[in-house]
């Protein structure tokens, strides 16, 4: 699961960057200071894979469970960022079906669609490769991830500003 978390955190970073580019938004980092990862996507993907395992033969159920799993991960990540670190990376107050601005119906539906791609296409393609990564590489990656996570948390907590993670100058 560790390498699934890393792979899907990276995929989330790419998705966020593409979404910002397509919508004309700023290409803000929504994750870590150094590594190009969005951990909320990695956590959401791992939760999706775990929760949909019993219903893989039922795409509508996988859609619903995937949407709920990703929405839960997004809500908990927003809550953690706001309460523990004093920052907010997104606010859905202006979107329909939002819950405290942390999650909303349009993105929950999008997570459901993306979860189908994850469960039926991407994960079956990547999983065999991810299991081949040697343990020493995994340990080095874990140490690097933890160091970046601690550095990021300290920076966000001290500045109270998500913009401190920007990788570009305005």
């Amino acid at each position: 699961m560790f390498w699934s978390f890393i792979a899907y955190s990276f995929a989330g970073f790419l998705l966020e960057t593409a979404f910002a580019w397509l919508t004309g938004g700023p290409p803000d980092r929504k994750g870590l200071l150094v590594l190009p990862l969005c951990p909320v996507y990695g956590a959401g993907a791992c939760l999706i894979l775990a929760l949909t395992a019993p219903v893989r033969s039922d795409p509508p159920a996988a859609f619903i469970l995937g949407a709920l799993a990703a929405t839960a991960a997004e809500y908990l990540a927003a809550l953690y960022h706001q309460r523990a670190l004093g920052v907010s990376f997104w606010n859905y107050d202006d979107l329909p079906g939002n819950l405290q601005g942390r999650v909303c119906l349009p993105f929950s539906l999008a997570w459901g669609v993306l979860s189908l791609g994850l469960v039926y296409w991407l994960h079956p393609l990547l999983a065999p490769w991810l299991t081949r990564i040697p343990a020493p590489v995994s340990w080095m990656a874990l140490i690097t991830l933890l160091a970046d996570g601690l550095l990021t948390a300290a920076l966000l907590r001290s500045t109270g500003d998500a913009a401190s993670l920007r990788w570009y100058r305005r």
Side-chain angles (χ1 to χ4, degrees), residues 64-168:
I64 292 167
L65 286 175
L68 290 173
T71 300
E74 185 177 33
Y75 185 88
L76 292 173
L79 191 63
Y80 167 75
H81 288 125
Q82 291 167 354
R83 300 256 173 96
L85 303 177
V87 298
S88 180
F89 286 102
W90 61 86
N91 185 332
Y92 300 140
D93 277 337
D94 58 337
L95 293 175
N98 80 79
L99 181 60
Q100 300 169 331
R102 295 182 180 120
V103 294
C104 67
L105 184 58
F107 277 99
S108 294
L109 295 173
W111 302 143
V113 171
L114 288 172
S115 68
L116 294 177
L118 173 70
V119 168
Y120 296 113
W121 177 73
L122 186 58
H123 191 68
L125 183 72
L126 286 183
W129 296 97
L130 298 175
T131 60
R132 294 180 184 169
I133 299 171
V137 174
S138 297
W139 283 109
M140 288 186 293
L142 177 62
I143 291 166
T144 304
L145 175 65
L146 290 175
D148 195 6
L150 290 172
L151 181 63
T152 301
L155 178 64
L156 290 173
R157 195 154 165 82
S158 69
T159 64
D161 185 8
S164 63
L165 299 183
R166 280 198 185 122
W167 48 309
Y168 61 94

Side-chain angles (χ1 to χ4, degrees), residues 47-69:
L47 195 55
I48 289 165
L49 292 170
L51 290 179
T52 60
V55 296
R56 292 245 164 89
S57 62
D58 184 2
F63 173 89
I64 292 167
L65 286 175
L68 290 173

Side-chain angles (χ1 to χ4, degrees), residues 6-63:
I6 296 294
Y8 303 129
S9 293
F10 179 66
F13 173 80
L14 295 176
L15 187 63
E16 284 288 333
T17 302
F19 184 78
W21 182 75
L22 290 170
T23 62
D28 292 337
R29 290 186 92 95
K30 290 190 173 111
L32 299 172
L33 178 63
V34 178
L35 296 172
L37 303 176
C38 289
V40 66
Y41 283 89
C46 289
L47 195 55
I48 289 165
L49 292 170
L51 290 179
T52 60
V55 296
R56 292 245 164 89
S57 62
D58 184 2
F63 173 89

